[in-house]
């Protein structure tokens, strides 16, 4: 036949399709995906079985890795040596597997991504837990298949007493599919499997009471449980893991972030380099130095925080921009009966339980077969010992061993056959086995005859005969027990549960990865004390919160106590009271709105300067906070749709907008009001729609009108005229207060630029229309200076006045008597020659506060 005649033409498309499908199935089944039963890919299975072949158990000496790789390559794995060695190395790395299966000696790499030493330098043996993966493999518990050249057989799966797929996880990329299964804690997994054995109808919700979440070898903190729950329920999910970091404060007040655990599979050296790169690129600010202080005792990364930075904010930025917070996409794809399937937690456990019961049944069948075979031999020995003299005579009289064997089988040593069958017949029939057949009419089988011929002379003693009888009786009990196992599925499940409990007792340990709820899963207010604090913001943007109790009450006219320690050319510009649980809406002079929870503001004593607000909020350096609003809950639909925020600008414009427009916090803030050129925001207040607006000007005039006179506008509107100012170019609006018209006792506290102040009843100001010049509010002279600020006060409240030099004085409003609209007022604080007023805040008295310890000073009325 010519060469041309042997060429068969085929369609290339069909050939490519067939070849690619074959290749795809080979990758899926024989390379990339783990088996749901033992959780191993073929290469892992071959490494463990090859090491077992070499006798490298945990209690034997190590062997060169090159010897192991050669064994696996030559017998079972027809691929490159690097695939085998890399697999063995990973199974020995304590940071890669939650429960390592190989005990390595030498350089097996590091968390920094360092390569292991060459295989000729390292040694290895199996870990003790690997014995459980290979237990009972010699008892026909699993199927074997021919290796690549059909010269040897290898197991298609390991018996695996431990649920390796769940405890060590797996990852791999096949063709058209992939798997990524996370490791879990052995103790939790065993408890969950035992619970499912006891109750096959258990729900995943109930299983999660035992198996709480993945447990990584490198520890860390799982941030949020919703992704874990989704992965358990569907087989797909997203688990977010954070490194374990602690903020430490030195004696000098400097803060340091110490990282002791990093997320699973994160390269430590790359993480440190990435942080340094972000610091150099100024994407993360507030870090002065970073050091890797890891040693043989454990991982330790130290991040030094700058003195003016807030460590918690820096840590949040590290979580956001680096692998210190990493998410893992869970994709539980494994081979079930040779086919890839997506499995949820209950499915994986069900398949493992099914496999363990199969192993127990096959092991029991093997043990039963061996026990029956041994009982068969023991029956022959008992017969021979009972007829020992005749047996010896028969053997001595036989010409060859074959003649002796045939004589024993035929019962030639028996004189009274009827008596023999009556005595041993039931025992012989009970001991008959297919493995050792006995020909019809023969007294013994060939196996029994051979055992008699091989019997040592010491068996002839009476004591030895008793031992044979005792062994036979014990075997009968064991045979009965083994048969009961095969007949009872419930007993099989009990054995599976008992063996798992033994595994738990031997290898179980504590969880390494903690679990914490993500934002929105728990209310952080439950973890933070609800208390009132004094919040101060300086002109240069330093912010802090201080307990109200730190400010000692003084009498009017005093010098005040030292409050916030400000830097040169800086002064406290805002000082107000807020609850730690509140939302703080901060409005800048350019009309931007930013959100901040009060507990997020760094706490400091009253003499501290605080932290730069740009480290907390994304506020441009050329902008500053001008107004604030405390709101308890931005998710209350009824509240945000029935309350407004009223804005007032320096040029006397006013705008009203529903709170709902500002109820969705954004990291970079939003435009709250459009500010015209040359204007700036001076105040923002919360209203309920039925209140009155009071605006005062620097020139000593004020206007009072109903809130309803201002229509609601959109978030970006500029507003309408609230008060008409003098046209000399010097007059500006200095403040706005919102008053409930039913509170007739409310008074307006007016403070001048030179420390003069007075209290006037709100009812003294007549109601007018919006947009007018208003009425006289304060007698303005050179001694008073222009009006600096106005506040609404009540008889039982206190004032806290701050100067640009940082002097703070607190006094009771009741110490300042009520005066008319046109008066100059009394001196509230004595200013140094170059000092000026900075801010005034109203404090509502706490029931446990002490009364003033010094008598009130005289009224200095002008």
């Amino acid at each position: 036949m010519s060469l041309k005649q042997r060429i068969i033409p085929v369609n290339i498309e069909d050939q490519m399709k067939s070849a690619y499908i074959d290749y795809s199935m080979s990758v899926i089944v024989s390379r990339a995906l783990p088996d749901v039963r033992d959780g191993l890919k073929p290469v892992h299975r071959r490494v463990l079985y090859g090491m077992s072949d070499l006798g490298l158990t945990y209690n034997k000496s190590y062997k060169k890795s090159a010897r192991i790789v050669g064994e696996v390559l030559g017998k079972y794995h027809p691929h490159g040596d690097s695939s085998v060695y890399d697999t063995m190395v990973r199974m020995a790395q304590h940071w890669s597997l939650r429960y390592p299966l190989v005990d390595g000696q030498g350089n097996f790499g590091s968390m920094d991504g360092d390569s292991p030493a060459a295989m000729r330098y390292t040694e290895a043996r199996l870990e003790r837990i690997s014995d459980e993966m290979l237990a009972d493999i010699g008892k026909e518990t699993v199927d074997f298949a021919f290796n690549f050249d059909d010269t040897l057989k290898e197991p298609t799966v390991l018996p695996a007493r431990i649920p390796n797929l769940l405890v060590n996880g797996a990852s791999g990329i096949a063709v058209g599919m992939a798997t990524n299964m996370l490791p879990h804690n052995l103790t939790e997994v065993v408890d969950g499997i035992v619970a499912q054995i006891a109750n096959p109808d258990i729900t995943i919700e109930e299983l999660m009471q035992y198996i709480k979440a993945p447990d990584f070898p490198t520890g860390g903190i799982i941030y949020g449980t919703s992704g874990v729950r989704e992965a358990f329920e569907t087989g797909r999910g997203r688990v977010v893991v954070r490194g374990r970091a602690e903020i430490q404060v030195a004696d000098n007040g400097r803060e340091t972030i110490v990282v002791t655990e990093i997320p699973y599979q994160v390269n430590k050296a790359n993480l440190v380099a990435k942080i340094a790169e972000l610091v150099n690129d100024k994407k993360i600010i507030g870090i002065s130095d970073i050091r890797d202080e890891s040693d043989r005792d454990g991982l330790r990364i130290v991040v030094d925080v700058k003195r003016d930075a807030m460590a918690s904010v820096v840590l949040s930025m590290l979580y956001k921009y680096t692998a210190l917070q990493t998410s893992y996409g869970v994709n539980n794809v494994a081979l079930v009966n040779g086919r890839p399937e997506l499995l949820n937690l209950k499915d994986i456990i069900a398949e493992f339980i099914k496999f363990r019961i199969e192993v127990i049944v096959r092991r029991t069948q093997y043990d039963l077969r061996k026990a029956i075979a041994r009982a068969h031999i023991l029956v022959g020995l008992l017969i021979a010992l009972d007829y020992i003299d005749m047996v010896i005579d028969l053997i001595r009289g036989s010409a060859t061993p074959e003649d002796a064997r045939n004589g024993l089988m035929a019962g030639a040593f028996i004189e009274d056959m009827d008596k023999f069958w009556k005595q041993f017949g039931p025992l012989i029939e009970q001991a008959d086995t297919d493995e050792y057949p006995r020909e019809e009419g023969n007294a013994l089988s060939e196996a029994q005859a051979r055992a008699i011929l091989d019997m040592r002379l010491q068996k002839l003693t009476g004591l030895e005969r008793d031992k044979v009888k005792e062994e036979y009786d014990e075997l009968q009990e064991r045979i009965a027990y083994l048969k009961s196992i095969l007949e009872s599925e419930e007993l099989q499940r009990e054995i599976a549960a008992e063996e798992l409990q033994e595994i738990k007792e031997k290898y179980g340990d504590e969880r390494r990865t903690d679990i914490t709820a993500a934002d929105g899963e728990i209310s952080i207010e439950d973890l933070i004390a609800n208390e009132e604090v004094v919040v101060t913001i300086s002109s240069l943007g330093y912010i802090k919160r201080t307990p109200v109790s730190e400010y000692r009450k003084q009498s009017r006219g005093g010098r005040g106590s030292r409050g916030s320690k400000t830097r040169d050319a800086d002064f406290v510009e805002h000082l107000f009271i807020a609850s730690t649980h509140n939302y703080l809406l901060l409005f800048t002079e350019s009309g931007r709105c930013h959100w901040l929870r009060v507990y997020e503001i760094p706490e400091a004593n009253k003499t501290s300067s605080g932290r730069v607000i740009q480290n907390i909020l994304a506020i441009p350096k050329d902008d500053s906070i001008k107004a604030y609003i405390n709101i308890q809950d931005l998710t209350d639909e009824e509240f945000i749709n029935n309350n407004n925020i009223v804005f007032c600008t320096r040029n006397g414009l006013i705008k009203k907008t529903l709170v709902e427009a500002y109820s969705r916090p954004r990291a970079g803030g939003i435009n709250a009001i459009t500010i015209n050129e040359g204007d700036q925001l001076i105040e923002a207040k919360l209203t309920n729609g039925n209140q009155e607006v009071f605006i005062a000007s620097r020139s000593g005039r004020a206007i009072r009108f109903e809130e309803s006179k201002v229509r609601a506008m959109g978030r970006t509107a500029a507003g309408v005229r609230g008060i008409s100012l003098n046209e000399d170019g010097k007059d500006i609006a200095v403040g706005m207060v919102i008053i409930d018209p039913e509170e007739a006792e409310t008074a307006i506290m007016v403070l001048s630029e030179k420390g003069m102040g007075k209290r006037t009843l709100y009812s003294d100001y007549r109601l007018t229309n919006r947009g007018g010049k208003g009425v006289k509010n304060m007698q303005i002279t050179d001694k008073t200076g222009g009006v600096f600020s106005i506040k609404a006060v009540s008889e039982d409240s206190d004032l806290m006045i701050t100067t640009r030099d940082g002097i703070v004085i607190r006094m009771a409003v009741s110490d300042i008597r009520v005066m008319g609209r046109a008066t100059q007022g009394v001196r509230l604080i004595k200013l140094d020659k170059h000092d000026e007023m900075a801010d005034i805040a109203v404090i509502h008295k706490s029931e446990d506060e002490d009364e003033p310890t010094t008598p009130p000073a005289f009224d200095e009325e002008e």
Side-chain angles (χ1 to χ4, degrees):
M1 183 181 291
S2 67
L3 181 64
K4 185 175 182 180
Q5 290 176 307
R6 291 205 301 269
I7 297 176
I8 303 173
V10 295
N11 186 299
I12 191 170
E13 292 182 3
D14 294 339
Q15 180 65 26
M16 290 290 290
K17 185 184 297 183
S18 173
Y20 190 74
I21 289 175
D22 291 344
Y23 164 74
S24 300
M25 290 308 299
S26 174
V27 172
I28 290 170
V29 176
S30 303
R31 187 177 300 182
L33 299 185
D35 193 293
V36 72
R37 297 169 293 179
D38 63 2
L40 299 174
K41 300 177 188 178
V43 64
H44 298 85
R45 192 176 299 119
R46 287 163 176 167
V47 169
L48 294 180
Y49 185 65
M51 294 179 72
S52 176
D53 262 358
L54 289 172
L56 298 179
T57 54
Y58 74 94
N59 54 359
K60 301 292 177 61
S61 60
Y62 295 88
K63 266 192 171 57
K64 284 285 186 183
S65 298
R67 173 73 177 85
I68 299 169
V69 172
E71 176 83 3
V72 176
L73 282 182
K75 290 184 175 180
Y76 309 115
H77 198 67
H79 299 283
D81 58 353
S82 62
S83 65
V84 175
Y85 186 50
D86 290 348
T87 296
M88 190 183 76
V89 164
R90 186 175 182 276
M91 288 196 292
Q93 292 174 339
H94 62 83
W95 61 90
S96 293
L97 262 64
R98 181 64 178 83
Y99 298 91
L101 300 174
V102 172
D103 179 10
Q105 183 168 264
N107 175 14
F108 275 75
S110 72
M111 294 181 69
D112 290 332
D114 298 323
S115 300
M119 67 180 79
R120 62 182 178 273
Y121 298 119
T122 61
E123 297 179 337
R125 64 184 178 187
L126 292 172
E127 284 278 7
R128 184 173 186 178
I129 197 171
S130 294
D131 281 0
E132 312 299 340
M133 293 292 295
L134 294 153
D136 302 323
I137 197 169
K139 293 187 176 183
E140 301 177 3
T141 51
V142 294
D143 294 332
F144 278 69
F146 281 110
N147 67 344
F148 57 89
D149 60 0
D150 290 350
T151 58
L152 296 169
K153 282 195 170 184
E154 61 177 315
T156 58
V157 66
L158 297 186
R161 285 189 179 183
I162 65 172
N164 184 62
L165 186 62
L166 278 172
V167 300
N168 275 329
S171 64
I173 300 174
V175 178
M177 63 185 66
T179 185
N180 193 39
M181 308 182 73
L182 302 182
H184 296 77
N185 181 268
L186 178 61
T187 301
E188 293 181 0
V189 169
V190 167
D191 289 342
I193 295 174
V194 170
Q196 188 163 329
I197 289 174
N199 177 22
D201 297 325
I202 192 172
T203 64
I204 292 180
E205 182 75 25
E206 292 169 333
L207 273 175
M208 288 185 67
Q209 297 177 9
Y210 303 97
I211 308 174
K212 297 175 175 58
D215 187 27
F216 299 100
T218 53
I221 300 169
I222 292 177
Y223 184 65
T225 57
S226 58
V228 173
R229 182 180 300 276
E230 183 181 2
F232 282 171
E233 291 176 347
T234 68
R236 295 184 190 272
R238 179 173 172 270
V239 178
V240 178
V241 180
R242 287 180 166 182
R244 191 180 302 277
E246 178 186 358
I247 297 175
Q248 298 178 355
V249 182
D251 294 337
N252 60 2
R254 291 290 294 272
E255 292 181 321
T256 301
I257 299 171
V258 179
V259 179
T260 54
E261 294 174 2
I262 60 176
Y264 182 49
Q265 293 178 333
V266 168
N267 186 302
K268 175 166 63 69
N270 290 347
L271 173 63
V272 174
K274 180 65 175 178
I275 296 174
E277 178 185 338
L278 291 171
V279 172
N280 292 334
D281 293 342
K282 301 190 182 307
K283 291 183 179 179
I284 295 181
I285 58 176
I287 294 178
S288 61
D289 188 25
I290 178 170
R291 302 181 302 280
D292 184 359
E293 298 181 356
S294 305
D295 55 22
R296 66 179 60 190
D297 296 326
L299 183 145
R300 180 181 171 89
I301 300 172
V302 180
V303 179
D304 291 334
V305 179
K306 291 181 179 178
R307 192 177 298 276
D308 61 348
M310 188 174 177
S312 59
V313 175
V314 172
L315 182 57
S316 296
M317 296 173 74
L318 291 176
Y319 284 142
K320 182 176 181 180
Y321 295 115
T322 73
L324 195 59
Q325 175 174 305
T326 303
S327 62
Y328 300 88
V330 178
N331 190 26
N332 293 339
V333 177
L335 295 175
V336 180
N337 298 323
R339 299 173 62 89
E341 289 187 17
L342 179 67
L343 306 166
N344 62 24
L345 177 63
K346 187 176 178 181
D347 294 335
I348 296 172
I349 293 176
E351 290 294 335
F352 180 74
I353 293 173
K354 178 182 174 183
F355 174 60
R356 282 305 303 162
I357 290 176
E358 180 187 344
V359 168
I360 289 169
V361 168
R362 294 181 63 163
R363 181 185 68 198
T364 303
Q365 291 172 339
Y366 177 87
D367 289 342
L368 178 61
R369 189 167 62 252
K370 293 298 182 182
I372 291 175
R374 178 61 179 166
H376 178 79
I377 299 298
L378 291 177
V379 167
L381 295 180
L382 286 172
I383 292 172
L385 291 172
D386 205 61
Y387 288 87
I388 189 64
D389 293 334
M390 288 75 85
V391 167
I392 292 174
D393 290 341
L394 186 148
I395 294 172
R396 290 179 62 186
S398 300
T400 63
E402 186 176 350
D403 292 341
R405 185 171 63 250
N406 291 333
L408 290 172
M409 292 168 60
F413 59 91
I414 302 171
E415 295 178 351
D416 188 347
M417 191 62 72
D418 292 336
K419 179 182 177 183
F420 170 80
W421 283 109
K422 187 175 182 180
Q423 180 181 358
F424 292 104
L427 203 63
I428 292 172
E429 291 177 359
Q430 182 182 1
D432 279 350
T433 171
D434 293 338
E435 188 172 355
Y436 303 128
R438 178 177 58 85
E439 292 185 9
E440 187 70 28
N442 278 359
L444 300 174
S445 68
E446 184 179 352
Q448 289 172 324
R450 288 183 183 278
I452 293 171
L453 290 173
D454 293 339
M455 186 170 58
R456 298 170 64 183
L457 289 176
Q458 71 177 25
K459 291 286 186 183
L460 302 180
T461 64
L463 183 61
E464 287 296 321
R465 188 187 189 286
D466 291 341
K467 285 184 178 180
V468 172
K469 183 66 171 66
E470 184 180 347
E471 182 184 355
Y472 177 80
D473 292 339
E474 290 176 355
L475 267 178
Q476 291 305 309
E477 292 179 6
R478 178 164 174 74
I479 290 170
Y481 172 68
L482 294 173
K483 287 181 177 179
S484 69
I485 293 175
L486 295 176
E487 293 168 357
S488 172
E489 184 178 346
E490 182 178 351
L491 187 54
Q492 295 166 13
R493 300 177 74 88
E494 287 180 8
I495 292 172
E498 289 172 3
E499 291 182 351
L500 284 167
Q501 290 288 6
E502 292 175 7
I503 295 295
K504 171 185 168 182
E505 292 172 7
K506 288 172 68 175
Y507 307 105
D509 56 4
E510 294 295 324
R511 163 175 282 277
R512 296 181 188 175
T513 304
D514 291 337
I515 307 166
T516 183
D519 292 341
E521 294 188 336
I522 62 168
S523 175
I524 197 166
E525 286 87 350
D526 295 338
L527 308 177
I528 296 175
N530 187 9
E531 59 184 2
E532 288 205 337
V533 293
V534 177
V535 178
T536 57
I537 304 174
S538 77
S539 173
L540 294 182
Y542 287 81
I543 188 171
K544 68 173 182 176
R545 61 182 167 96
T546 307
V548 174
S549 57
E550 281 205 26
Y551 288 90
R552 177 174 53 87
K553 184 186 299 182
Q554 295 176 304
S555 61
R556 175 181 62 77
R559 298 293 301 179
S561 63
R562 172 61 60 179
S564 177
K565 182 173 66 178
T566 58
R567 301 188 174 197
D568 294 341
D570 194 13
F571 58 90
V572 174
E573 190 169 3
H574 294 283
L575 182 148
F576 53 89
I577 310 302
S579 167
T580 51
H581 285 192
N582 287 5
Y583 285 88
L584 202 59
L585 272 62
L586 298 170
F587 299 93
T588 69
E589 66 177 22
S590 65
R592 299 279 294 174
C593 173
H594 295 267
W595 293 264
L596 187 66
R597 304 302 294 272
V598 173
Y599 58 72
E600 294 175 335
I601 300 172
E603 184 173 355
N605 59 46
K606 68 178 184 178
T607 60
S608 172
S609 59
R611 304 283 182 183
V612 179
I613 200 168
Q614 277 81 3
N615 279 344
I616 307 173
L617 296 173
I619 298 175
K621 292 183 178 180
D622 57 352
D623 205 356
S624 60
I625 300 297
K626 285 296 180 184
Y628 68 90
I629 290 179
N630 288 323
I631 294 181
Q632 186 172 357
D633 188 0
L634 285 176
T635 62
D636 186 341
E637 293 289 336
E638 183 178 354
F639 175 84
I640 64 176
N641 287 297
N642 290 283
N643 289 270
N644 309 296
I645 296 178
V646 175
F647 300 90
C648 182
T649 73
R650 185 170 61 176
N651 289 346
L653 296 181
I654 188 170
K655 189 191 85 159
K656 180 174 72 173
T657 306
L658 280 175
V659 175
E660 192 276 337
Y662 308 97
S663 62
R664 292 172 289 278
R666 296 181 191 172
I670 61 172
N671 286 327
I673 179 175
T674 297
I675 300 296
N676 297 326
E677 186 176 353
D679 198 3
Q680 66 177 224
L681 183 70
I682 63 166
E683 193 61 89
K685 294 290 186 182
L686 187 67
T687 68
N688 60 21
N690 300 313
Q691 293 170 294
E692 293 179 355
V693 180
F694 186 90
I695 303 175
S697 68
R698 184 176 184 274
S699 61
R701 300 192 67 83
I703 188 170
R704 169 190 175 190
F705 57 88
E706 295 174 343
E707 179 190 346
S708 58
K709 298 291 184 181
V710 184
R711 64 178 177 83
M713 305 177 192
R715 181 168 56 82
T716 58
V720 295
R721 178 68 57 192
I723 185 172
S724 294
L725 304 174
N726 292 342
E727 298 180 357
D728 57 4
K730 297 180 180 179
D731 198 11
I732 59 172
V734 296
M736 175 186 72
V737 296
I738 302 297
I739 302 293
D740 191 331
E742 296 181 359
E743 296 179 0
E745 297 301 318
T746 300
I748 300 296
M749 179 62 65
V750 185
L751 183 66
S752 77
E753 295 172 338
K754 296 188 177 180
M756 303 295 291
K758 69 185 184 70
R759 181 165 55 123
T760 302
L761 289 177
Y762 183 66
S763 56
D764 286 357
Y765 299 88
R766 71 176 187 272
L767 198 62
T768 63
N769 286 323
R770 174 186 60 80
K773 284 185 174 290
V775 298
K776 195 164 209 176
N777 183 34
M778 187 178 197
Q779 184 67 38
I780 300 300
T781 66
D782 291 340
K783 191 175 187 66
T784 63
V787 175
F788 171 74
S789 181
I790 60 169
K791 297 291 179 184
V793 296
S794 59
E795 190 72 21
D796 61 349
S797 57
D798 287 354
L799 283 184
M800 189 174 289
I801 301 171
T802 310
T803 73
R804 295 200 176 202
D805 282 349
I807 300 298
V808 178
I809 184 170
R810 178 175 175 176
M811 66 186 71
V813 168
S814 58
D815 287 348
I816 308 168
R817 64 184 179 84
V818 177
M819 303 179 187
R821 288 190 293 105
T823 58
Q824 294 183 40
V826 297
R827 184 165 302 283
L828 299 183
I829 186 170
K830 295 178 181 178
L831 299 175
D832 291 336
K833 184 176 181 180
H834 300 292
D835 200 3
E836 296 179 5
M837 299 300 300
D839 202 0
I840 176 174
V842 178
I843 303 173
H844 297 288
K845 289 183 181 178
S846 300
E847 293 181 1
D848 59 347
E849 280 194 290
D850 296 331
E851 292 300 320
T853 55
T854 56
F858 62 90
D859 287 347
E860 181 189 344
E861 184 174 354
E862 301 293 340

